[in-house]
Amino acid sequence: MAMVISIARLQLKQLLKSPRWLILLSIYCFVIAIFSNQFSFQFITLQASNTSQLSLSGILFSPLDNLAVFLLLLMLPLIVLQLRPSRIASGLQRLLSSYPVSSFKLWLADWYAMLVLLLFFYAALVFIQLPILISATIDLPLFLTHWLALVLMSLSFMTLFLLLQQLTNSLLSSLVIHYSVLFLFWIIQLLQQWPDYFYVVQVINLFDWFDRLSLGLLSAQDILAFVIINLSFIVLCYCFSQQKTRFILLTCGLTLLLLFTLRLFPLNYVDTTSNQRYSLHPVLAEQLAQTETIKITSYGLDEAARREVNLRLLQPVLSRFAETKITHEPLNRQSEQQRNSQSNRGVLFTIGNIPNDKSGQRLNTAVNQQTIWLDYPFVEHPQRYLLRSLAVLQHRNDNWVLFVEGQDEASISQQGQRHLSTLNQALQSRGFQLSQLSLKQAGSIPDNTALLVIASSRQDWLNSASQSLMTYLQTGGNLLWLRDPEDISFEQLESYLGITKLDGVIVDPAGYQQGTPHPAIVLHDTFTDHPINQSLKTLVAFPWSSALVPLTKGTTKWHQQTLLTSHPNSWTEFQPEQENMAFNEQQGELQGEFQTLIALQRNQGVRQQKVVIAGDSHFLSDMAINNYDNKQLALNIFYWLTQTPDELMPTLVEPVDRYLKLTPLAHHLISWFIPFVLPLLLLLSGVILWRKQKR
Amino acid sequence: MSLTVTDLKFHYNTSQHCHYHFRLTKGQRVGLIGRNGAGKSTLLKLIAGELSAKSGEVSINGSALTRQPQQYLSKLGYVPDQFPDDKGYRVTDFLTLVLACKNISRSLDDLLADQGLTQLNIGELLPLSLQQLSLGQKQRLSLVQALLSQPECLIMDEPLNGLDPTQQQQFWQILKQQTNNTCALIASHHLVDLAEHCQRLLFIDDHRLVLDLNLDSIKYMAVNTSIINNTKINETDALLHDKVIGFQQEQNFNQYLLQNDSNILLSGKTLTVLTELFRYQASGEWQW
């Protein structure tokens, strides 16, 4: 062993003196530092938007570590080329073969040297991440699991490349073989899309073993697989050096057998994420335990999507309910449910026999087969989404969402720019019971109304209708009032709720600069802390909205909370049809930050009454609901207003690493020193070394 | 201490084969002679373990290359025909690598001093990279790396290439010092030097050993133009070969000339005959 280490030390010295290595390291540092810079500032932006479930590990460390693995896989063939192939080209290997050192010992020396060299790459990665590491709280178990994945993966490929060197004596063919093998692994990864047909291939797919670890799922199987693969590479190299063909075949066979055996065991992993994001939530587990059958069908998911669904929903469910039936359907075999839905990708959750939460009895046979549709990509954690839908299903017998009609409101039964048919489908697929209610005909609002929606009344209300509405509100009914600039002035309701609207359409020049097709589309990118704003990730767009203002501040019993406001330089435009709009103070237009979404709450006996007033109905219309995060905002409003029992909703555990505040020094390091100065210094060292050697 | 080559066979391809069988004894310096492409380097590579023989065995003092390769190679010093020119390696790094590979724990300076290798002036080469060395400097370094482990058998392929006359003298001087307890096999085209400094010459042609001359026992030579049958020459005086006859005694040589006058192609003192022989061979007028 002493001999091997002595030789390894010399090999390492040669590698470190090589300008190629320094140049590769500088490229590696540059790419990772640039992405680190991007990810950090993206995280800070998202953090400012108060996006929940944000984590440094998800936004920054995991992508950076994956990028590091990717770069290492590309660079390792170029580095290992400086070992045996380079020695062969210079004639040194030939001379070494006449020395009393076996080729396997030389290989081991190369392996040690490369191992130490990899440490430099790891150190560079840590150095790049250092400003973030000292500026934020780290989810340490997850961080360490990421590193474990990175080390195991890079080590495996390094050993593989060193093994492949034994197959050829030429520099060029060595390079070709290395990259061909990488390409082969990529093909294997692609074949994963058909797991039923290429089951055998999955076993040797290193990326597959790496995936779970890189997400923070620590399993003995994955670690063992890497150990087996690495050991088999080392044994194979020994067999190659001793020219033991029979043992080569035996080793390959044994390795495959062991990997197959590992696959046979059920996958058990430890979720190292601080908020247990890949584990089955106890509340959901409790809910599902009451159902007799669970069937999950995914539609139109590609491999990446299926992987995410698998990790966040299927595996957690399977780990607890092993008899769950899971099928994956390709895109062209859509279910009726799916065709009705706006999205064509998602997961259909079918469950049997949900108990009615009030009576404690099971639902009758006619309704015991329940389906819940989850759109992909998920806008919030699928388990939370599922739980919400389950809660809605359990209450739906005596809970209706009624849309007021009769005063020229936007309709859920009609399609069109103003209407809400898409919203209707989205809500129905999530278990809501929807209907339209004409107060002129009905006379009163039914008692089992969970929520009343007024989607922009363009005609005056009859007194009797107004009276019914006021009675409904006085008895604790929930209301969603969508207002448009063209709305009638409903003074009675305005004064009851204490909120009115300003004349004119809000014009948002900042949103227009960001790329909206019209300045009258207000973009919201800052979300206050409220359940309705939870899980909003990007922007929300309000087309042709009006500004809301409190009527008599402090006199109302309602607790008001502003959910969305326009940009500070927006104004209320009186002539939005004009081509060149400009703020005109003389006409009475107002400029500033306007409220566009307000939540009201008050206690009515034992229950809480909730009202949401939006300065816009268009954001829910067929035209705009699928833009940005509008749909998610709509769903959040309906979930909040229909009072999904809080005790059923899982408490969202926030990741420990969700805050990043960069110190001025860390800011400088991330902005320019690490991305530019450090790689430049390395590059210069490489060039100087290269010129020195050339001379 | 001896190098034994036993029925060593190697196949270049389906039509070209080689077959060698000989033994070198302790203290013997043996020259290996043959024209270009005769198979000298191949033979040395087979002995050095660079190439694997199809059958047969090479051993040094009982340690066989196939059975105890590490023991065998630790007794061997090899000067290859082409020295590595890795630009990344400085001479000092290279020699450290040699020491590591040969598992020698002593320092380089001590070794050079102890083994009388200081006259090769390796010290001046230490800071240079292998690629910066001239051919002569590489040969000196190659000799040093082969001698560092005090081998029991030295195998050298064209060691005199690139050495100036003074360095050639130094080379032979060092070799004589080293080979008191070592056998050496030296492939070279420097016939005069080999004849002067070696005790024995091995001639190879077309990948086989065609002549094995013990220069200590041969002073004169006669080369016959035809196959000699029923010769009455004393077998102790001559190496049995179908065309070349060597003589220790001038009297026996003269008698042979008288008897075979019409069949004699070349005759005279050993070195003169060998030189002529190679001239004939080079011009294609004569083949082994």
Side-chain angles (χ1 to χ4, degrees):
Chain A
M1 190 49 80
M3 179 200 267
V4 171
I5 289 170
S6 304
I7 300 169
R9 204 181 296 140
L10 279 161
Q11 295 293 3
L12 179 67
K13 195 177 167 188
Q14 295 311 310
L15 284 172
L16 293 179
K17 279 194 322 188
S18 147
R20 183 189 298 176
W21 175 76
L22 281 171
I23 291 167
L24 286 174
L25 185 65
S26 69
I27 296 170
Y28 172 87
C29 287
F30 175 70
V31 176
I32 292 189
I34 286 288
F35 276 92
S36 169
N37 175 310
Q38 286 298 308
F39 294 155
S40 309
F41 292 115
Q42 184 190 347
F43 183 87
I44 289 168
T45 311
L46 289 171
Q47 189 177 251
S49 304
N50 198 25
T51 306
S52 64
Q53 298 299 300
L54 195 67
S55 73
L56 268 174
S57 49
I59 301 284
L60 205 146
F61 292 122
S62 179
L64 269 190
D65 290 348
N66 288 350
L67 179 69
V69 168
F70 175 72
L71 287 174
L72 279 175
L73 295 195
L74 288 181
M75 288 177 174
L76 277 174
L78 294 171
I79 299 170
V80 296
L81 216 59
Q82 289 175 266
L83 296 167
R84 188 174 181 270
S86 182
R87 289 200 301 265
I88 289 172
S90 70
L92 186 58
Q93 184 73 18
R94 201 188 131 192
L95 188 63
L96 293 179
S97 69
S98 71
Y99 291 165
V101 54
S102 68
S103 55
F104 180 65
K105 278 184 181 169
L106 279 176
W107 185 88
L108 269 185
D110 285 350
W111 190 84
Y112 276 123
M114 279 302 298
L115 187 67
V116 178
L117 199 78
L118 267 183
L119 293 180
F120 281 88
F121 281 92
Y122 299 154
L125 182 61
V126 172
F127 183 72
I128 292 167
Q129 293 177 346
L130 202 59
I132 302 154
L133 291 174
I134 55 177
S135 306
T137 310
I138 304 300
D139 186 351
L140 194 62
L142 180 58
F143 185 76
L144 293 177
T145 314
H146 283 160
W147 267 92
L148 180 68
L150 167 75
V151 170
L152 287 174
M153 188 68 168
S154 49
L155 202 63
S156 302
F157 270 92
M158 180 198 90
T159 315
L160 175 64
F161 290 143
L162 286 172
L163 167 67
L164 292 171
Q165 285 193 345
Q166 306 291 314
L167 303 178
T168 174
N169 288 335
S170 147
L171 273 170
L172 184 66
S173 59
S174 181
L175 204 60
V176 170
I177 289 173
H178 288 155
Y179 283 112
S180 303
V181 168
L182 267 186
F183 183 71
L184 189 72
F185 272 100
W186 180 64
I187 298 281
I188 290 172
Q189 177 70 4
L190 289 183
L191 292 179
Q192 290 274 97
Q193 293 196 20
W194 300 280
D196 299 337
Y197 304 109
F198 297 100
Y199 179 74
V200 181
V201 168
Q202 285 184 53
V203 171
I204 55 165
N205 185 5
L206 280 171
F207 293 108
D208 194 40
W209 298 105
F210 165 76
D211 268 351
R212 279 180 294 273
L213 276 175
S214 71
L215 286 167
L217 301 175
L218 198 61
S219 78
Q221 271 161 293
D222 293 337
I223 296 171
L224 260 176
F226 274 108
V227 171
I228 289 169
I229 288 167
N230 271 291
L231 279 178
S232 73
F233 286 158
I234 293 172
V235 173
L236 276 174
C237 186
Y238 177 77
C239 296
F240 267 117
S241 66
Q242 302 295 314
Q243 296 176 340
K244 292 179 174 173
T245 320
R246 214 166 30 159
F247 285 101
I248 292 172
L249 295 174
L250 196 70
T251 309
C252 290
L254 193 65
T255 307
L256 282 176
L257 188 71
L258 285 171
L259 292 176
F260 267 117
T261 314
L262 276 183
R263 283 264 172 187
L264 290 178
F265 288 103
L267 184 66
N268 290 313
Y269 50 74
V270 178
D271 185 352
T272 60
T273 58
S274 57
N275 58 342
Q276 297 289 295
R277 66 187 81 140
Y278 301 112
S279 306
L280 191 65
H281 196 282
V283 179
L284 182 59
E286 197 183 308
Q287 288 284 302
L288 291 177
Q290 297 173 45
T291 64
E292 283 180 356
T293 57
I294 306 170
K295 185 184 164 196
I296 307 171
T297 314
S298 78
Y299 291 93
L301 300 185
D302 58 19
E303 177 52 29
R306 198 183 291 183
R307 193 170 72 85
E308 190 193 342
V309 171
N310 204 31
L311 284 166
R312 299 179 75 188
L313 186 65
L314 305 189
Q315 277 301 334
V317 172
L318 265 180
S319 65
R320 182 76 183 269
F321 304 99
E323 68 283 0
T324 303
K325 192 182 172 191
I326 293 173
T327 46
H328 297 281
E329 298 289 346
L331 197 58
N332 54 352
R333 292 165 64 187
Q334 297 171 20
S335 70
E336 192 61 34
Q337 176 89 30
Q338 193 185 348
R339 275 189 222 105
N340 290 335
S341 165
Q342 186 71 24
S343 168
N344 57 3
R345 294 203 300 166
V347 181
L348 192 66
F349 215 89
T350 311
I351 45 180
N353 293 336
I354 311 172
N356 186 308
D357 70 322
K358 283 194 172 172
S359 63
Q361 294 170 347
R362 290 179 188 277
L363 301 177
N364 61 44
T365 318
V367 292
N368 71 351
Q369 188 82 352
Q370 307 293 344
T371 57
I372 297 165
W373 175 255
L374 287 82
D375 278 338
Y376 186 86
F378 303 127
V379 285
E380 65 176 329
H381 199 294
Q383 289 186 36
R384 184 177 166 80
Y385 187 90
L386 190 62
L387 201 54
R388 276 182 195 269
S389 303
L390 281 171
V392 172
L393 278 175
Q394 283 172 317
H395 287 259
R396 77 179 195 180
N397 255 10
D398 50 356
N399 282 278
W400 286 81
V401 176
L402 298 180
F403 284 74
V404 174
E405 63 175 1
Q407 288 80 226
D408 194 18
E409 284 87 4
S411 167
I412 55 168
S413 56
Q414 292 178 52
Q415 289 185 344
Q417 284 207 335
R418 205 195 142 201
H419 297 299
L420 311 172
S421 63
T422 310
L423 174 71
N424 182 15
Q425 288 165 10
L427 291 174
Q428 282 192 7
S429 68
R430 284 159 181 82
F432 285 95
Q433 296 216 110
L434 272 63
S435 182
Q436 297 191 103
L437 174 75
S438 170
L439 286 174
K440 287 177 190 168
Q441 294 168 3
S444 64
I445 298 167
D447 289 341
N448 61 350
T449 304
L451 171 66
L452 189 75
V453 182
I454 306 170
S456 180
S457 300
R458 305 283 167 94
Q459 292 173 12
D460 288 332
W461 285 50
L462 293 176
N463 281 338
S464 59
S466 305
Q467 198 49 51
S468 300
L469 176 63
M470 298 315 292
T471 309
Y472 169 76
L473 287 173
Q474 281 158 6
T475 52
N478 296 331
L479 175 72
L480 171 60
W481 191 14
L482 305 172
R483 310 215 60 187
D484 284 334
E486 306 93 325
D487 261 16
I488 50 130
S489 171
F490 198 159
E491 286 174 5
Q492 191 181 5
L493 185 56
E494 282 179 352
S495 77
Y496 187 76
L497 298 174
I499 303 287
T500 187
K501 72 177 176 70
L502 296 174
D503 288 339
V505 175
I506 303 177
V507 168
D508 177 16
Y512 192 53
Q513 281 170 357
Q514 283 184 54
T516 58
H518 196 279
I521 299 172
V522 181
L523 281 189
H524 300 95
D525 53 10
T526 309
F527 310 109
T528 54
D529 190 17
H530 190 273
I532 287 180
N533 284 343
Q534 255 185 11
S535 72
L536 297 180
K537 284 181 181 164
T538 58
L539 303 165
V540 172
F542 275 29
W544 279 263
S545 54
S546 45
L548 302 173
V549 282
L551 266 177
T552 45
K553 212 170 182 179
T555 58
T556 173
K557 288 180 181 174
W558 296 94
H559 169 69
Q560 290 179 17
Q561 188 172 357
T562 305
L563 304 184
L564 295 177
T565 49
S566 64
H567 283 116
N569 55 350
S570 51
W571 74 88
T572 53
E573 175 64 48
F574 291 161
Q575 293 167 313
E577 297 81 17
Q578 277 189 345
E579 267 192 31
N580 297 317
M581 286 182 286
F583 171 57
N584 191 337
E585 197 174 2
Q586 288 167 348
Q587 284 187 2
E589 290 176 354
L590 299 170
Q591 190 171 31
E593 209 175 43
F594 298 108
Q595 299 172 55
T596 52
L597 190 68
I598 297 173
L600 305 176
Q601 254 179 300
R602 67 175 180 182
N603 289 325
Q604 284 288 81
V606 290
R607 58 182 298 202
Q608 273 212 327
Q609 185 180 13
K610 296 174 182 174
V611 174
V612 170
I613 307 170
D616 183 36
S617 73
H618 302 103
F619 83 101
L620 297 178
S621 68
D622 296 348
M623 175 184 70
I625 192 165
N626 286 316
N627 292 340
Y628 303 107
D629 255 357
N630 284 12
K631 192 181 194 176
Q632 186 57 38
L633 175 65
L635 292 172
N636 288 353
I637 291 172
F638 279 89
Y639 279 127
W640 188 69
L641 285 172
T642 50
Q643 293 185 308
T644 303
D646 287 340
E647 69 272 16
L648 288 181
M649 295 307 297
T651 317
L652 278 180
V653 182
E654 288 182 353
V656 294
D657 56 344
R658 67 168 305 212
Y659 297 107
L660 173 65
K661 190 177 178 187
L662 292 175
T663 59
L665 175 67
H667 196 279
H668 282 298
L669 284 172
I670 288 177
S671 301
W672 57 272
F673 181 78
I674 293 177
F676 300 108
V677 178
L678 177 71
L680 201 66
L681 286 175
L682 288 167
L683 191 69
L684 274 175
S685 314
V687 171
I688 291 167
L689 206 63
W690 173 69
R691 284 184 64 84
K692 202 174 155 188
Q693 285 187 0
K694 205 180 172 191
R695 259 188 261 125
Chain B
M1 294 185 189
S2 65
L3 169 76
T4 311
V5 176
T6 316
D7 286 328
L8 196 67
K9 287 182 183 170
F10 179 72
H11 289 195
Y12 291 92
N13 48 48
T14 48
S15 59
Q16 261 191 317
H17 312 288
C18 66
H19 181 202
Y20 299 104
H21 188 95
F22 59 88
R23 185 166 186 268
L24 269 59
T25 54
K26 178 185 170 183
Q28 223 176 22
R29 288 184 301 280
V30 179
L32 184 64
I33 294 177
R35 63 200 171 97
N36 291 336
K40 299 188 294 295
S41 294
T42 305
L43 173 60
L44 296 191
K45 283 175 186 171
L46 284 167
I47 295 171
E50 218 182 297
L51 293 175
S52 300
K54 186 173 184 292
S55 65
E57 190 58 277
V58 194
S59 61
I60 299 173
N61 292 334
S63 303
L65 174 60
T66 49
R67 288 192 300 274
Q68 301 108 356
Q70 307 306 316
Q71 279 182 36
Y72 171 90
L73 290 171
S74 63
K75 294 173 182 174
L76 184 83
Y78 177 45
V79 177
D81 52 345
Q82 284 179 332
F83 194 72
D85 61 350
D86 196 313
K87 62 183 171 188
Y89 274 91
R90 286 189 302 146
V91 172
T92 179
D93 297 332
F94 169 75
L95 288 174
T96 316
L97 177 68
V98 174
L99 294 181
C101 288
K102 294 193 172 186
N103 214 5
I104 301 169
S105 53
R106 291 179 65 192
S107 77
L108 184 64
D109 292 340
D110 285 356
L111 281 168
L112 291 174
D114 275 11
Q115 292 176 39
L117 298 173
T118 41
Q119 53 190 305
L120 285 170
N121 294 330
I122 288 301
E124 65 185 31
L125 306 180
L126 290 178
L128 301 176
S129 85
L130 293 185
Q131 213 174 31
Q132 287 175 304
L133 300 181
S134 69
L135 183 59
Q137 287 170 328
K138 280 182 185 170
Q139 291 295 57
R140 278 154 58 196
L141 183 59
S142 190
L143 185 64
V144 168
Q145 63 82 26
L147 292 172
L148 273 179
S149 57
Q150 293 179 300
E152 293 171 24
C153 177
L154 261 174
I155 305 292
M156 293 185 259
D157 200 350
E158 307 288 1
L160 299 171
N161 278 4
L163 295 184
D164 61 36
T166 318
Q167 287 170 340
Q168 286 186 20
Q169 282 300 321
Q170 282 176 352
F171 168 79
W172 288 116
Q173 208 176 335
I174 289 167
L175 197 65
K176 277 177 186 168
Q177 287 168 8
Q178 297 290 326
T179 51
N180 288 334
N181 294 313
T182 309
C183 60
L185 182 61
I186 309 143
S188 175
H189 292 294
H190 292 73
L191 186 61
V192 178
D193 282 349
L194 291 181
E196 187 185 337
H197 297 290
C198 295
Q199 296 103 330
R200 186 176 159 195
L201 293 178
L202 295 176
F203 291 78
I204 60 169
D205 190 53
D206 199 18
H207 311 288
R208 65 199 165 90
L209 194 62
V210 290
L211 187 62
D212 186 347
L213 286 179
N214 188 342
L215 296 178
D216 286 341
S217 59
I218 294 174
K219 296 280 187 277
Y220 303 93
M221 281 179 71
V223 179
N224 207 316
T225 53
S226 62
I227 297 168
I228 304 162
N229 288 321
N230 302 320
T231 177
K232 290 180 181 173
I233 299 163
N234 185 352
E235 285 191 4
T236 55
D237 270 357
L239 281 165
L240 286 181
H241 192 276
D242 51 2
K243 287 178 183 173
V244 180
I245 311 297
F247 301 91
Q248 175 70 26
Q249 304 294 328
E250 189 174 7
Q251 191 187 351
N252 292 344
F253 170 62
N254 289 334
Q255 278 178 4
Y256 179 76
L257 290 183
L258 283 172
Q259 287 168 15
N260 299 280
D261 187 29
S262 59
N263 295 329
I264 300 296
L265 175 69
L266 291 168
S267 63
K269 289 196 171 174
T270 308
L271 185 59
T272 315
V273 172
L274 286 174
T275 312
E276 275 300 296
L277 207 56
F278 270 93
R279 196 182 60 74
Y280 270 106
Q281 206 186 8
S283 63
E285 292 174 55
W286 182 84
Q287 289 294 317
W288 292 105

